[in-house]
Amino acid sequence: MEGVDPEAFKYALSKVLDGNMFEEFAQNYLGKVLGYEFAPVGGFKDRGIDGLEHLFHRKGFERSIYQISIEQNPQIKLDSTLKKLHDNNIDFDQLYFVTNRQFPDQDIAIDKLFEKYKKPIHIYDLRWLSNQVNMSQSTVNTYRTFIDSYLHEFSKPGKSYEIGDLVNDPRLFVFLRQQWDDNHKYLQIDEILADTLIIYALEGTDADKKIFKTEEEIKPSHPTPTNHKDES
């Protein structure tokens, strides 16, 4: 089995800003990792309860709730979710919190929230997800299928491009490595490099916001060579 670079995995998932996109991936991915099938938890909007989006449960175990989150601050989101479940008398046995962010000090957070809400809590954060990617061919295939679709979506007109400073931020290297891992069987190295550098050159552009770059801004400027006459 040809594995996936965990750093490339973490980079790709951390860039997902669409909750529906991440939810779809998480259900498929966790299904392969845990061997479960999942079903959405509904009805909260009908009861006028906001903030409980992207909830689902394991089939046959409706009282085990999973929440998918792309919030920048997962600690606040998790506490908010538990508070809403508690305040609205929604009974459940345990909560699984799945996030594409790093969740710091998990053990401390879990202990504090258990004391507060008396419910077992499990956290599957970006590090945990990346540690499972090479678990089986199914997890690898699920990731590769997702990344192919995600990068296709990312490259559509109207999407903002954000890669970073190659000197101070190694994300471009990680992105290039990811492209090589995913596409080297199908594309030549020059095609992969060209595609990656094009995305890098378009950093900060957004068609919807009419933010474009000129040819001069995209192409690097080179100093004009100076002809030195032989003075001898």
Side-chain angles (χ1 to χ4, degrees):
M1 180 182 73
E2 186 175 357
V4 172
D5 181 353
E7 291 303 313
F9 177 97
K10 287 193 286 188
Y11 170 76
L13 257 66
S14 70
K15 300 300 292 180
V16 178
L17 302 177
D18 185 315
N20 293 324
M21 184 184 294
F22 183 57
E23 178 183 342
E24 181 179 356
F25 167 77
Q27 289 196 42
N28 291 332
Y29 188 70
L30 291 178
K32 301 299 188 299
V33 172
L34 303 174
Y36 302 157
E37 289 185 58
F38 298 98
V41 175
F44 295 125
K45 287 291 185 181
D46 297 337
R47 296 171 58 180
I49 307 174
D50 293 324
L52 293 181
E53 69 284 352
H54 305 300
L55 291 181
F56 60 98
H57 62 79
R58 176 185 171 188
K59 284 188 176 179
F61 296 83
E62 284 75 10
R63 293 169 64 88
S64 292
I65 298 178
Y66 290 71
Q67 180 171 52
I68 303 298
S69 174
I70 59 170
E71 295 291 330
Q72 291 288 337
N73 193 321
Q75 299 97 320
I76 292 177
K77 179 62 177 178
L78 176 55
D79 195 349
S80 173
T81 295
L82 287 163
K83 185 177 187 305
K84 285 183 170 64
L85 292 170
H86 178 269
D87 291 349
N88 289 278
N89 297 315
I90 298 171
D91 201 11
F92 64 98
D93 290 335
Q94 54 191 331
L95 176 67
Y96 293 80
F97 186 75
V98 187
T99 173
N100 67 337
R101 308 294 172 191
Q102 300 276 12
F103 197 116
D105 301 321
Q106 289 188 31
D107 292 338
I108 295 174
I110 288 172
D111 288 344
K112 287 183 176 180
L113 292 172
F114 181 79
E115 291 178 6
K116 188 174 182 180
Y117 297 106
K118 309 303 180 187
K119 297 290 184 180
I121 300 158
H122 311 270
I123 299 173
Y124 297 158
D125 72 345
L126 185 59
R127 184 182 296 105
W128 186 93
L129 295 171
S130 70
N131 288 339
Q132 317 306 317
V133 68
N134 292 311
M135 175 180 176
S136 67
Q137 189 63 56
S138 294
T139 55
V140 169
N141 291 343
T142 299
Y143 167 73
R144 293 193 187 283
T145 299
F146 166 74
I147 207 63
D148 286 345
S149 301
Y150 172 60
L151 289 177
H152 174 71
E153 177 72 16
F154 179 76
S155 62
K156 284 182 179 180
K159 299 296 179 183
S160 295
Y161 295 87
E162 180 184 354
I163 299 299
D165 179 355
L166 179 59
V167 175
N168 299 310
D169 185 342
R171 288 178 298 164
L172 180 60
F173 167 77
V174 174
F175 185 76
L176 179 58
R177 171 63 182 272
Q178 173 184 296
Q179 294 305 287
W180 172 251
D181 287 345
D182 290 344
N183 298 305
H184 74 274
K185 290 184 178 179
Y186 316 106
L187 299 176
Q188 298 297 318
I189 183 62
D190 56 339
E191 295 175 310
I192 297 173
L193 181 60
D195 288 348
T196 304
L197 291 178
I198 287 170
I199 294 177
Y200 179 69
L202 292 174
E203 179 183 8
T205 62
D206 190 322
D208 287 345
K209 297 178 181 178
K210 308 299 182 183
I211 302 173
F212 303 106
K213 284 187 177 181
T214 65
E215 182 177 353
E216 290 73 19
E217 290 173 318
I218 292 175
K219 288 184 177 180
S221 58
H222 299 285
T224 303
T226 303
N227 295 324
H228 296 283
K229 295 182 180 180
D230 187 356
E231 296 179 355
S232 59

